[in-house]
Amino acid sequence: MSNETKIKLFWEEYTQLHPQAANSYEAWAFGDSPQMADELLNLVIRGIKTGTASNYEVYEVCDDETLPEIGRHSILLDGRGHPQAVIVTTAVQITPFDEVGADFAYSEGEDDRTLESWRYEHEKFFTRESLAFLKKPFDPKMKVVCENFRLVFTKS
């Protein structure tokens, strides 16, 4: 069975239990490697990670990427592309990287959850992404999409 089929069946299972759910969803994995996807997904399932950050410019240049919106349902995929959880976006804020606050950094649930470690690790991530995808260097003034969410369903 293809991952696409697994994702559709997972969504059907979710909507059977939650008929009030939205009619649409996005399916995606965290990070830029299967290992990172699995590690961050685990933090969500354990209730530690309730936020994620992304590069605003990616949404501007990529036709198949849409900015998160409050109420959006997302299926989280593991490192193999298999559906594992559903989250609902609860807040979205666009802010310069160097102005992201400690509360948001803590909500990401990563490393020691401090703003200092968030900036260190996310600068590395955004540098890789900017160079590979956008073909430009990291900029501490870059716009970051700070998304908060709640976990509403996990694979049984």
Side-chain angles (χ1 to χ4, degrees):
M1 181 182 313
S2 73
N3 282 354
E4 185 175 309
T5 300
K6 289 177 185 177
I7 291 167
K8 286 179 183 176
L9 291 173
F10 190 78
W11 182 250
E12 288 175 14
E13 181 182 354
Y14 172 71
T15 57
Q16 285 175 0
L17 296 170
H18 303 276
Q20 77 287 359
N23 293 327
S24 63
Y25 62 88
E26 301 220 355
W28 48 273
F30 290 109
D32 59 357
S33 71
Q35 179 183 356
M36 185 181 285
D38 288 341
E39 288 173 5
L40 299 181
L41 173 64
N42 184 19
L43 291 175
V44 171
I45 291 170
R46 291 174 41 215
I48 296 169
K49 182 174 181 62
T50 60
T52 191
S54 52
N55 184 337
Y56 179 81
E57 194 169 347
V58 170
Y59 298 99
E60 291 184 320
V61 301
C62 204
D63 291 336
D64 62 342
E65 295 285 337
T66 57
L67 279 168
E69 296 177 357
I70 294 172
R72 177 181 82 172
H73 285 73
S74 296
I75 296 177
L76 299 182
L77 308 175
D78 65 18
R80 297 172 298 154
H82 299 160
Q84 299 295 323
V86 176
I87 59 171
V88 175
T89 301
T90 58
V92 179
Q93 181 177 1
I94 299 170
T95 189
F97 176 88
D98 60 359
E99 293 179 28
V100 170
D103 288 345
F104 181 77
Y106 186 84
S107 79
E108 284 236 35
E110 300 170 34
D111 303 309
D112 66 4
R113 300 180 87 172
T114 64
L115 180 58
E116 181 180 59
S117 71
W118 183 90
R119 285 189 175 149
Y120 177 78
E121 292 300 327
H122 282 75
E123 181 174 340
K124 289 192 316 187
F125 175 80
F126 288 137
T127 295
R128 287 193 311 269
E129 182 181 60
S130 291
L131 290 173
F133 186 71
L134 302 170
K135 307 293 187 225
K136 60 193 232 180
F138 170 79
D139 179 358
K141 294 291 184 191
M142 67 178 270
K143 291 181 186 176
V144 174
V145 180
C146 298
E147 176 183 1
N148 289 102
F149 54 82
R150 64 182 163 80
L151 176 66
V152 294
F153 183 71
T154 58
K155 189 170 185 159
S156 47

